[in-house]
Amino acid sequence: MKIVIGSDHGGYELKSKLIEYLKEEKYGVDDMGTHSKESCDYPLIGFDVAKAVGCGQADMGILICRTGAGMAIIANKVHGVRAAACYDKEMAKSAREHNNCNIIVFAANYSDFKQAKEMLKIWLTTEPLGDRHERRVKQIKDIESKLNPSARPATKQRPCSG
């Protein structure tokens, strides 16, 4: 499984620790930045991660900023992305089971490494429930396509651009 990860300067330390953990667990990880604690603009990094997930270049994504709100907002602008800011293990599990969330967003100000690692482990190993939840995710996809008819559904074969 290939995972893309990105953070702003406020999430840099947590991102670095999560990358180490993911590599220990034998996940393929692509770090999309930032690469220091120097102040940066989160929308560009969040967009790069979301675009990689939305167009199928990565299976799942992780975003981190101080509150989780900004990264979740930018990620959910990208066709094919269902990003959820998660603050506890139950939320991480539900985001996968009910929403088939493909990007998890962490708030560095509210989750330390231990908490984020526990949420991530649950999120990565939880399968979507299907049934009524699958129907609702399909409705989300249909609405997304109606709002942006020029965007094609993401496939692993479709190259990313722009």
Side-chain angles (χ1 to χ4, degrees), residues 40-106:
C40 67
D41 295 330
Y42 73 85
L44 303 176
I45 294 165
F47 177 71
D48 286 343
V49 168
K51 185 173 66 169
V53 173
C55 73
Q57 287 183 333
D59 300 300
M60 301 178 103
I62 303 164
L63 288 168
I64 310 159
C65 64
R66 291 194 188 278
T67 66
M71 286 294 200
I73 290 167
I74 187 63
N76 281 310
K77 301 288 183 196
V78 175
H79 190 82
V81 168
R82 290 172 309 284
C86 295
Y87 299 93
D88 60 39
K89 295 183 286 188
E90 293 78 21
M91 195 177 231
K93 183 175 182 176
S94 180
R96 282 293 293 151
E97 285 183 338
H98 295 206
N99 308 110
N100 195 3
C101 173
N102 52 13
I103 294 181
I104 191 168
V105 184
F106 294 119

Side-chain angles (χ1 to χ4, degrees), residues 1 5 22 25 32 54 82 98 100 108 140 142 156-157:
M1 175 183 298
I5 188 169
L22 289 165
E25 295 296 311
M32 307 290 277
R82 290 172 309 284
H98 295 206
N100 195 3
I140 292 169
D142 290 346
K156 292 194 184 284
Q157 293 78 34

